[in-house]
Amino acid sequence: KAIAVKLGRKCTTVDFNALTLQWMTKLSRAQFASLKNFFLYGTTSNSTPLYVDQLLANLMTIVNQHQPKILAISVFSDDCRTATRLICQHMKDHMPDVKILIGGAGIAKGQKYGVSDAVSFGEKLKNQGLVDHYIIGDAEHSFQEFLQNNLTFPGINSDNWQLLTNN
């Protein structure tokens, strides 16, 4: 947010994780477990689609309140990938003019359940048309460059990025 504000951009941050957890705590223990297992392990029960639809509707209400031009999503870990994919698909279906940018540790190449990624999660979602851009690595410089439309900066839409130094 500080980078966007420094460049004179209007910016609002919303912690979807906290809001989702707050909403999920109102569910029964079984409903909570159903959603948790879906997002962490991909397992479903008969009621899981209903809860996922409710969650996406809640998130869309929040996004619609802000009418963003860009929706930047921080993907904290590999465990956030299912939710990120769903949110991005839902946004593309309902607000196709909003540009989606993802970044964070969860979009890099990784290994989950013994399976290594051939390409980064960010690249996969971009190739599938679910995101418009992704940032790999330290975003302190690349996010500023992104906002200035320098999309060739290392780490923007590329798995090659530059480590920040103290120089």
Side-chain angles (χ1 to χ4, degrees):
K1 179 178 179 176
I3 294 168
V5 170
K6 181 176 107 177
L7 293 174
R9 302 287 185 105
K10 181 182 173 192
C11 182
T12 302
T13 57
V14 176
D15 188 339
F16 284 149
N17 289 320
L19 292 173
T20 298
L21 185 59
Q22 182 181 36
W23 175 74
M24 286 177 64
T25 58
K26 296 174 185 173
L27 299 174
S28 71
R29 188 172 286 202
Q31 293 166 333
F32 186 99
S34 174
L35 272 178
K36 179 183 167 192
N37 289 334
F38 172 71
F39 286 121
L40 289 178
Y41 311 114
T43 59
T44 60
S45 68
N46 291 338
S47 57
T48 303
L50 172 67
Y51 305 131
V52 170
D53 288 345
Q54 288 174 351
L55 173 63
L56 291 170
N58 291 346
L59 296 178
M60 283 303 297
T61 298
I62 294 165
V63 172
N64 275 320
Q65 290 172 353
H66 297 286
Q67 291 295 306
K69 293 178 183 170
I70 300 169
L71 178 67
I73 301 173
S74 181
V75 184
F76 295 117
S77 73
D78 292 357
D79 292 334
C80 299
R81 289 180 174 188
T82 300
T84 300
R85 183 182 300 278
L86 284 171
I87 292 168
C88 292
Q89 180 66 62
H90 202 74
M91 285 295 302
K92 287 295 181 187
D93 291 344
H94 293 80
M95 297 179 79
D97 294 333
V98 174
K99 299 295 181 198
I100 300 175
L101 167 71
I102 61 172
I107 72 161
K109 291 180 186 176
Q111 183 171 343
K112 188 166 184 172
Y113 310 120
V115 178
S116 294
D117 295 331
V119 297
S120 70
F121 182 64
E123 185 176 346
K124 286 178 192 174
L125 292 189
K126 184 164 181 12
N127 290 342
Q128 294 168 357
L130 296 179
V131 301
D132 299 285
H133 305 285
Y134 65 95
I135 293 178
I136 298 269
D138 300 319
E140 286 81 353
H141 294 237
S142 50
F143 185 58
Q144 179 173 328
E145 295 296 325
F146 169 81
L147 290 175
Q148 294 173 324
N149 208 32
N150 179 7
L151 302 180
T152 61
F153 192 80
I156 300 175
N157 300 326
S158 168
D159 292 353
N160 300 316
W161 57 282
Q162 292 178 338
L163 181 66
L164 286 178
T165 62
N166 290 330
N167 297 338

